[in-house]
Amino acid sequence: MAHLTITHTHQDGTKLTGSQKKDGVYEIVRRNGFTWRRGQGIHIRPSRDLDAKTWIINRAASALRDAGHEVTIEIDNTPRPTAVVEAERQERAEDRAERYAVRAGKADAAGDARLDAARSITDGIPFGQPILVDHYSAGRHRRDLSRADNHRGKAVELWKKGEHLADRARGAVAHQKQRENPRTTMRRIEKLEADKRRYQRELDGYERNFRNGSGDVAFVETHEPATSRRSEDLQRWIAHADEQITYWRAQLAAHEESGKFVLWAREHFVKGDSVRHHGFGDWYEVTRVNTKSISVTGSSWGWPRTIPWDKVAGRRRDGMQWDTPNGEPWPVELARKIARWRSLERDLADNDSSTEALFKRGRIELARNIALGLDMHASDAEAAACLEGVTDTATDRNVKAAFVDVYDRLAAGETAAEVKASYEPIELAAAWRMPDREPVRRAAVKSFFKRDRDDIIAVQPGDLIVGFYDRGYGKDHLVRGFCGPVAAVSAVNDRRESGEFVTITLASGQERTFKLPLWFAVHPAGTWEQETPPAAAAALAVAKVSKAETMTVAAAADPEPQPSAVDSAVEQRTAIGGASDDDGDDPWGPLLAELRMLADQRQ
């Protein structure tokens, strides 16, 4: 029989050594709380940085001795310093995230390889070729299709596996980040202090009173002070709790010193203040300041009634707001505008297709563009380019407050043209500006259009994309959502029967794949970098263009199946759904244009 040793330390946990393969040891101990992992052997999980689970160890040792094995138990419950434990935990989290990320990349690459294998099989089969049942090639044709389907199925499985592993990598990082969160640290310190008081009470001995229905003491339960081994354990636990509390308080002090997180305390509040709940984001009136929490009036449904200190995220008093105890106060009215703009941004991202929601999103976009001095139909990318350079908090707050001011004017009934004519936009250093002139139209063609020549791609790195043309409802439309400086253009990807595709990556990181042929509106490299922004208060002059003139422009276009040339700002705005003979200075642009096109179809 084997000579086995069960050891326990805070660094390595509980491990069993001396066992050989197929000696029957693992079959015995796994029924008694042990497990096995490659690289760790037979062990108890979890057991690192914990005291030994003697009830499991003794039970397993007894079962092994009954089977005839010789067992030695070695236990060392000396705790390690918290700083060492947390450093190793951080290192393990990083290694785990990296490991999952590498495995996710391999799974995605394997999925792509499977898809390439499927395409290589189907490359030899003409598009639309049926199985010739009575031909000698029918069997091979069926086998090829079956193999291709199998490769595609495996590719999907591998991609799903890669997505799952990527989620686990993100989860490892998020878990460690949450553990180091100062609010989590506050709750951890409170728990450690409660544990310490419990250990000390048991060490010193205590009495517990039981009362009857009248409130009188009916029975007193007396607990004598702990002795012998229990006393030693309690003293060790108290010392370890003190060491942990010291470490985590130092972490909170480091956060406070850096200004990332400053603790709220009892002396910061008085009755009548307003307090913000970190989880809900709402404000509540303070009715009482307690030792560990703040009593509040509560919401309409009566909850919450108290807010603990780790959930406090701000204070309002005398028309000013403090986000941190040592922070700079700022006006409550400005803070309310910032909160309103955040709500409007959520509405902007909403997918509600009702008429009211569509018009509200239109007002939000117009408010943003007018406040920044952009064209009323500027895309989100143009607005993001203006806001990219905003780094200080004061400017960010003023910009968002300006958005709300313009939105309120639009919601009150003013037209966009009236607001723009009387509003002084905010001057910001934009990363790039869309030139106030006609873009160049370039065609991205399929390879078979230019035989014996290289593929011609519409845009090159350094160009500024205005948008791409899309034909619908009998005319061409300039779609402006995908715009900005070009960072990279991929080679043409021939997907056989699906067509040819090219991927364009913008400087902002946005990426999109287009099917060829396609026509783009661009400003060539070297023609837009030093463009002077248009005058802030100048309103865009819009002339009325009749439908007959619009049809004339379309008819004069190149006879090939490509978008018509746009010769003026007025005609361009008409093409993207702006001015027409019906709306004049219509601020709603693409929204009303779409409704107008639907009406034309019914005629």
Side-chain angles (χ1 to χ4, degrees):
M1 293 298 172
H3 178 77
L4 307 173
T5 303
I6 299 178
T7 60
H8 174 85
T9 62
H10 273 236
Q11 180 174 357
D12 299 326
T14 304
K15 292 187 176 182
L16 187 151
T17 57
S19 173
Q20 302 295 326
K21 189 176 182 180
K22 296 183 179 180
D23 61 0
V25 171
Y26 179 61
E27 285 72 13
I28 296 174
V29 297
R30 78 171 183 175
R31 294 191 297 267
N32 293 277
F34 281 75
T35 187
W36 179 89
R37 291 290 185 276
R38 181 174 297 162
Q40 299 183 43
I42 302 174
H43 64 287
I44 295 178
R45 180 178 179 270
S47 58
R48 292 189 57 175
D49 294 307
L50 298 173
D51 280 359
K53 300 176 181 179
T54 54
W55 63 95
I56 297 179
I57 295 174
N58 293 333
R59 185 177 62 198
S62 177
L64 290 171
R65 292 188 181 107
D66 292 343
H69 298 283
E70 184 180 351
V71 182
T72 303
I73 301 175
E74 300 174 356
I75 295 178
D76 181 7
N77 281 327
T78 304
R80 297 191 297 166
T82 307
V84 175
V85 174
E86 292 303 319
E88 288 190 5
R89 185 187 295 272
Q90 173 71 27
E91 184 178 355
R92 289 198 303 270
E94 293 175 355
D95 292 343
R96 186 163 57 253
E98 182 179 359
R99 183 169 64 253
Y100 283 135
V102 171
R103 291 175 59 188
K106 290 181 178 179
D108 289 339
D112 295 340
R114 285 281 190 170
L115 183 61
D116 292 339
R119 288 175 175 170
S120 65
I121 293 174
T122 56
D123 280 343
I125 303 175
F127 178 61
Q129 173 67 52
I131 298 177
L132 304 178
V133 179
D134 296 331
H135 197 263
Y136 68 88
S137 63
R140 184 177 69 244
H141 195 165
R142 290 190 180 95
R143 290 192 299 272
D144 288 344
L145 293 180
S146 177
R147 288 168 55 210
D149 288 341
N150 180 61
H151 281 304
R152 294 190 190 98
K154 292 293 184 181
V156 172
E157 292 179 6
L158 289 168
W159 288 333
K160 290 181 178 179
K161 179 181 178 180
E163 184 178 355
H164 170 69
L165 292 171
D167 287 341
R168 296 197 66 175
R170 289 189 291 268
V173 175
H175 176 75
Q176 185 62 25
K177 184 178 180 181
Q178 178 63 23
R179 180 175 178 80
E180 298 172 355
N181 185 285
R183 299 184 186 277
T184 305
T185 302
M186 290 180 64
R187 294 191 291 272
R188 184 181 297 113
I189 292 175
E190 289 184 2
K191 181 180 182 303
L192 288 170
E193 290 176 340
D195 290 341
K196 179 184 173 182
R197 291 192 298 269
R198 178 164 53 85
Y199 300 150
Q200 189 65 50
R201 185 169 61 251
E202 184 178 352
L203 181 64
D204 299 338
Y206 63 96
E207 293 182 350
R208 184 180 179 186
N209 296 331
F210 291 86
R211 300 181 182 274
N212 55 25
S214 302
D216 300 327
V217 177
F219 176 72
V220 178
E221 183 180 81
T222 302
H223 294 263
E224 298 296 332
T227 59
S228 64
R229 181 177 175 180
R230 183 63 178 178
S231 176
E232 295 175 0
D233 288 342
L234 289 171
Q235 293 177 20
R236 186 179 69 254
W237 295 343
I238 291 172
H240 186 44
D242 280 332
E243 193 269 337
Q244 288 180 296
I245 292 171
T246 302
Y247 172 82
W248 289 114
R249 285 199 179 280
Q251 298 301 308
L252 284 180
H255 283 292
E256 185 170 354
E257 184 178 354
S258 64
K260 295 180 179 178
F261 180 80
V262 182
L263 301 177
W264 290 96
R266 185 174 185 177
E267 59 269 16
H268 295 139
F269 287 90
V270 297
K271 182 179 179 181
D273 289 345
S274 293
V275 59
R276 182 172 180 263
H277 194 288
H278 172 72
F280 301 143
D282 297 329
W283 291 86
Y284 304 91
E285 183 181 351
V286 177
T287 59
R288 180 179 176 181
V289 182
N290 310 310
T291 303
K292 294 186 177 181
S293 63
I294 298 177
S295 298
V296 296
T297 55
S299 59
S300 58
W301 57 85
W303 191 83
R305 296 179 180 176
T306 59
I307 302 177
W309 294 119
D310 62 285
K311 296 295 184 182
V312 174
R315 182 193 70 188
R316 286 177 178 176
R317 179 188 297 172
D318 300 330
M320 302 299 288
Q321 175 173 319
W322 284 260
D323 296 323
T324 58
N326 63 341
E328 292 293 331
W330 54 304
V332 172
E333 189 62 31
L334 179 59
R336 287 172 177 162
K337 288 185 178 181
I338 304 304
R340 280 193 59 204
W341 179 250
R342 290 172 183 167
S343 176
L344 291 174
E345 282 185 316
R346 290 192 292 269
D347 292 337
L348 188 60
D350 193 5
N351 294 324
D352 188 357
S353 58
S354 64
T355 303
E356 181 180 356
L358 290 174
F359 275 89
K360 185 175 184 178
R361 290 201 291 269
R363 282 193 294 268
I364 296 172
E365 291 180 350
L366 282 173
R368 178 197 62 192
N369 295 338
I370 293 173
L372 295 175
L374 301 174
D375 181 80
M376 288 190 290
H377 304 292
S379 64
D380 294 340
E382 295 179 63
C386 291
L387 300 174
E388 186 176 335
V390 178
T391 56
D392 60 297
T393 304
T395 303
D396 181 66
R397 290 172 178 172
N398 292 334
V399 169
K400 292 177 179 177
F403 292 164
V404 174
D405 291 337
V406 177
Y407 175 81
D408 288 340
R409 293 181 60 180
L410 294 173
E414 292 188 61
T415 64
E418 292 173 347
V419 176
K420 188 170 184 178
S422 60
Y423 184 80
E424 188 69 23
I426 303 171
E427 294 294 337
L428 296 175
W432 54 270
R433 285 269 188 175
M434 194 68 72
D436 189 17
R437 63 173 182 274
E438 283 304 297
V440 176
R441 182 171 60 86
R442 290 183 179 175
V445 301
K446 296 178 72 173
S447 57
F448 64 80
F449 285 172
K450 301 289 182 180
R451 296 186 182 278
D452 302 326
R453 293 179 58 184
D454 294 334
D455 297 327
I456 300 177
I457 308 302
V459 294
Q460 301 296 333
D463 291 344
L464 179 65
I465 291 183
V466 180
F468 62 92
Y469 293 97
D470 183 30
R471 178 175 290 274
Y473 304 108
K475 60 181 180 180
D476 300 322
H477 305 277
L478 181 61
V479 182
R480 301 170 65 103
F482 185 81
C483 61
V486 178
V489 181
S490 71
V492 174
N493 181 15
D494 185 4
R495 299 182 184 175
R496 299 182 70 249
E497 63 271 11
S498 298
E500 294 183 337
F501 297 81
V502 64
T503 301
I504 299 177
T505 305
L506 301 181
S508 61
Q510 186 180 3
E511 184 178 276
R512 185 162 178 173
T513 300
F514 297 93
K515 182 178 181 180
L516 305 180
L518 194 67
W519 288 262
F520 291 90
V522 302
H523 291 289
T527 64
W528 59 270
E529 289 83 354
Q530 303 299 327
E531 189 71 20
T532 302
L540 179 64
V542 180
K544 292 186 177 181
V545 180
S546 65
K547 292 182 180 179
E549 292 172 335
T550 304
M551 295 302 294
T552 302
V553 172
D558 193 280
E560 293 184 8
Q562 57 188 23
S564 58
V566 181
D567 299 321
S568 66
V570 174
E571 292 167 347
Q572 179 186 3
R573 190 163 181 264
T574 303
I576 63 173
S580 72
D581 57 338
D582 298 324
D583 54 54
D585 287 338
D586 179 9
W588 299 108
L591 174 61
L592 295 185
E594 183 176 357
L595 298 177
R596 189 181 305 113
M597 287 183 285
L598 292 174
D600 292 342
Q601 281 189 325
R602 297 189 184 100
Q603 295 177 356

